[in-house]
Amino acid sequence: MGGGAVLVDGYDTLLLDLDGVVYLGRHAVPNAPQALHRAHDQGVRLAYVTNNASRTPGAIAAHLVELGVPATAGDVVTSAQAAARVVAERVEPGAKVLVVGGMGLRQAVRERGLTPVTTAWEKPVAVVQGIAPGLDYGLLSEGVLAVRQGAMFIASNADTTMPTGRGELPGNGAMIRVIVTATGVEPEVAGKPEPPLHRESIIRTGAVRPLVVGDRLDTDIEGATNAGVDSLLVLTGVATALDLLTASPEHRPTYVGEDLGALHEVYPEVRQGACGGWQATWSDGALRLEGQGARIDGLRAACDAAWAAAGEKALEAQAVQSVLDVLG
């Protein structure tokens, strides 16, 4: 892990996940509004990059403003927009697209010059699916029929769950299995960790030195790895200390922070399993952690030692249990 300077100072754009990073349901994550206002005031571009395709950028921006977060519709980049671009680049302008999802997905399809439809009778060239409240059997059935007729199948994202204030609920990755099971056709995925959403973000922001900020290893961090850019994992959403310590190479973030407040802190040097007052070591097939200080520094030290010991593989949970006991 890097370190030695205020984290945000090295980047011109923050590509921020929303669920679990900026908000949980209707409520802001603690420290998020303050941290984002501070970055915005310093001239850092904020882009809210979400796999959630259910709402329009305008609706998302309005929600962020209500929470005290600086945002406009132009700052929001969704997997719906990425999915619509994937389709638009392959078909004729005005082509019919069956939208199995909500208003955010329908709007994105229209903005790309395509025609959203709701039935397979209209012979759409593509089916685009995204999560939406109230997604019903009838619309899923139309998606099945269209895919069986030969329409390309694009999923806004494949997140199996999504974090909410009540806990993790089924995500689009769970819902797309209805069409997959009924047709045997796997969709092409536009959202994180696949390249289309990152490409969409760069096109819309013009970022030169972006930092991806997320709470999930399998979408946010893997997406950053796939794109070859730095990443910050915050512990306010899905990922846990165990997930980090047992992460495979593509799921290892550049930085780890408790929350978005880490953006404005001097990131400590993490070297050879040492960080702050902590020292992590690997011996006899197990990871050990000794010292004292901030818990997050202990986790950073332990991750450094764990990833060095694991190399291109991933450690098993039992190998890091003593570290989890120390960190509490």
Side-chain angles (χ1 to χ4, degrees):
M1 297 181 187
V6 174
L7 190 53
V8 75
D9 289 350
Y11 303 95
D12 66 347
T13 306
L14 300 179
L15 303 180
L16 297 138
D17 184 48
L18 286 172
D19 295 309
V21 175
V22 179
Y23 55 62
L24 283 169
R26 302 301 303 175
H27 303 286
V29 169
N31 292 328
Q34 301 92 322
L36 294 175
H37 265 290
R38 187 173 174 184
H40 179 266
D41 292 345
Q42 292 174 206
V44 179
R45 176 73 189 269
L46 306 181
Y48 303 100
V49 184
T50 178
N51 264 358
N52 192 324
S54 63
R55 295 188 292 169
T56 65
I60 292 172
H63 180 200
L64 290 171
V65 170
E66 288 175 0
L67 297 177
V69 175
T72 67
D75 298 326
V76 179
V77 187
T78 72
S79 61
Q81 293 168 329
R85 187 182 294 272
V86 168
V87 176
E89 290 178 341
R90 301 178 187 178
V91 302
E92 295 296 322
K96 295 177 180 178
V97 177
L98 177 58
V99 177
V100 182
M103 185 56 67
L105 197 52
R106 294 182 67 83
Q107 183 183 89
V109 167
R110 285 196 191 96
E111 287 178 347
R112 285 287 122 208
L114 303 169
T115 305
V117 300
T118 57
T119 71
W121 289 109
E122 296 173 89
K123 301 201 179 300
V125 298
V127 172
V128 181
Q129 182 172 351
I131 196 70
L135 187 61
D136 62 28
Y137 179 82
L139 195 51
L140 287 165
S141 297
E142 294 298 326
V144 168
L145 292 170
V147 171
R148 283 182 173 169
Q149 291 170 2
M152 74 174 77
F153 184 19
I154 308 294
S156 64
N157 70 87
D159 295 1
T160 55
T161 63
M162 58 182 182
T164 73
R166 297 179 59 196
E168 292 185 39
L169 299 181
N172 198 51
M175 299 304 295
I176 61 177
R177 304 321 297 174
V178 175
I179 294 180
V180 171
T181 301
T183 64
V185 177
E186 291 285 344
E188 181 176 346
V189 177
K192 296 176 281 189
E194 304 305 325
L197 182 51
H198 183 79
R199 175 174 173 246
E200 189 75 17
S201 302
I202 298 302
I203 290 172
R204 288 175 179 266
T205 64
V208 176
R209 301 187 314 280
L211 176 67
V212 170
V213 186
D215 70 308
R216 297 182 70 116
L217 302 182
D218 59 344
T219 55
D220 305 313
I221 305 308
E222 184 176 339
T225 301
N226 290 343
V229 298
D230 289 349
S231 59
L232 166 65
L233 187 284
V234 291
L235 298 170
T236 49
V238 172
T240 65
L242 175 60
D243 296 329
L244 279 166
L245 292 169
T246 57
S248 52
E250 69 275 14
H251 292 165
R252 296 169 187 169
T254 314
Y255 312 103
V256 179
E258 291 282 9
D259 55 38
L260 289 178
L263 291 167
H264 303 289
E265 299 170 357
V266 174
Y267 199 87
E269 292 287 348
V270 186
R271 185 173 299 173
Q272 295 182 331
C275 181
W278 298 92
Q279 178 66 59
T281 56
W282 174 261
S283 63
D284 299 326
L287 190 67
R288 293 175 174 79
L289 180 66
E290 297 178 334
Q292 58 184 355
R295 178 182 182 275
I296 191 65
D297 285 341
L299 180 57
R300 291 162 175 160
C303 285
D304 186 64
W307 299 342
E312 295 302 308
K313 299 180 180 180
L315 296 181
E316 298 293 333
Q318 61 266 27
V320 303
Q321 186 57 53
S322 67
V323 170
L324 297 175
D325 293 341
V326 171
L327 294 175

